[in-house]
Amino acid sequence: GDSVTQMEGPVTLSEEAFLTINCTYTATGYPSLFWYVQYPGEGLQLLLKATKADDKGSNKGFEATYRKETTSFHLEKGSVQVSDSAVYFCALREDAGNNRKLIWGLGTSLGVNP
Amino acid sequence: DAGVTQSPTHLIKTRGQQVTLRCSPKSGHDTVSWYQQALGQGPQFIFQYYEEEERQRGNFPDRFSGHQFPNYSSELNVNALLLGDSALYLCASSSLTGRGETQYFGPGTRLLVL
């Protein structure tokens, strides 16, 4: 079945450091890909998404490119801030027929020190 | 514009009891999905409701049931609670727009089963 694999955390960075969180997926079809963020004590928020190969999703300085050839959707940010400390989830959905189920990775916890 | 709301925020039950969780979708959305998120894990899809019917179901036992009302709000019911049902229960709303549609999440209901 479909699955998502994220790099294990926790990840700890200093402010203004470069961030990469790896995400790879296995899918039988042609999924849409998502990154969600969960701040402490809050619900999940969509960070960015991409629906086809080579699409780049971007938001709040974060970027991820849909790479069909490597089945990856790595999250990057050039300069992290303390306020980026959160748990980041990669997810996929096979947009076929009635399927609307999101399949999630385990999440990667990010801590940013001032 | 109110986002997705859930009630209650926290709940403590004992084994064998029954619980009902409630969700109001974001304005303009007609589809509600429910997820279970155990501590340190990614969310797991329970089921989705559209037009007051269950459209899709994940790998959860029949103890988990739901309902959607004409105003698109939804309930999740869990019978015969087990210790393993302790988790954060997330409601997500969306509008079936096709590929890449975004699911918007509520803050969740944290259920503790003793």
Side-chain angles (χ1 to χ4, degrees):
Chain A
D2 295 354
S3 65
V4 174
T5 303
Q6 288 183 234
M7 64 184 283
E8 290 189 18
V11 173
T12 303
L13 297 173
S14 297
E15 205 164 25
E16 299 183 3
F18 183 84
L19 168 71
T20 299
I21 300 178
N22 290 336
C23 171
T24 57
Y25 67 89
T26 302
T28 53
Y30 190 4
S32 293
L33 302 173
F34 305 82
W35 276 101
Y36 278 81
V37 58
Q38 191 169 37
Y39 297 102
E42 298 185 17
L44 289 157
Q45 301 176 24
L46 178 69
L47 184 58
L48 53 84
K49 66 181 182 182
T51 60
K52 61 183 188 294
D54 300 325
D55 263 2
K56 178 185 283 187
S58 61
N59 185 26
K60 299 181 181 178
F62 290 89
E63 294 182 340
T65 301
Y66 190 142
R67 300 289 188 200
K68 196 165 187 283
E69 64 276 14
T70 55
T71 62
S72 65
F73 192 54
H74 304 321
L75 183 68
E76 296 182 337
K77 186 175 186 183
S79 176
V80 294
Q81 305 301 311
V82 172
S83 58
D84 294 326
S85 298
V87 181
Y88 293 80
F89 290 92
C90 184
L92 72 79
R93 185 177 64 228
E94 298 264 23
D95 288 327
N98 288 336
N99 184 60
R100 291 296 181 270
K101 175 174 65 175
L102 281 166
I103 294 172
W104 301 78
L106 294 180
T108 302
S109 176
L110 169 67
V112 180
N113 296 320
Chain B
D1 175 26
V4 180
T5 60
Q6 292 186 244
S7 63
T9 55
H10 295 83
L11 207 49
I12 300 175
K13 292 287 188 178
T14 56
R15 280 178 298 174
Q17 285 190 310
Q18 179 264 343
V19 68
T20 297
L21 311 181
R22 295 176 177 84
C23 171
S24 290
K26 188 176 165 64
S27 177
H29 286 179
D30 55 11
T31 301
V32 173
S33 303
W34 287 92
Y35 293 82
Q36 180 194 66
Q37 186 179 15
L39 202 61
Q41 303 291 315
Q44 297 292 316
F45 176 78
I46 303 175
F47 42 53
Q48 183 186 77
Y49 277 84
Y50 171 69
E51 292 188 339
E52 302 179 50
E53 290 190 1
E54 185 183 287
R55 278 172 61 96
Q56 189 179 11
R57 188 178 183 92
N59 295 325
F60 279 80
D62 292 345
R63 299 186 297 110
F64 290 76
S65 64
H67 188 77
Q68 186 179 34
F69 298 94
N71 67 352
Y72 308 120
S73 66
S74 177
E75 289 182 349
L76 164 65
N77 300 292
V78 187
N79 293 323
L81 284 167
L82 304 173
L83 296 180
D85 295 332
S86 295
L88 180 67
Y89 288 85
L90 296 165
C91 169
S93 77
S94 59
S95 183
L96 294 183
T97 57
R99 188 170 182 81
E101 77 186 38
T102 298
Q103 293 185 8
Y104 293 84
F105 284 80
T109 294
R110 190 164 295 283
L111 172 65
L112 177 61
V113 182
L114 301 177

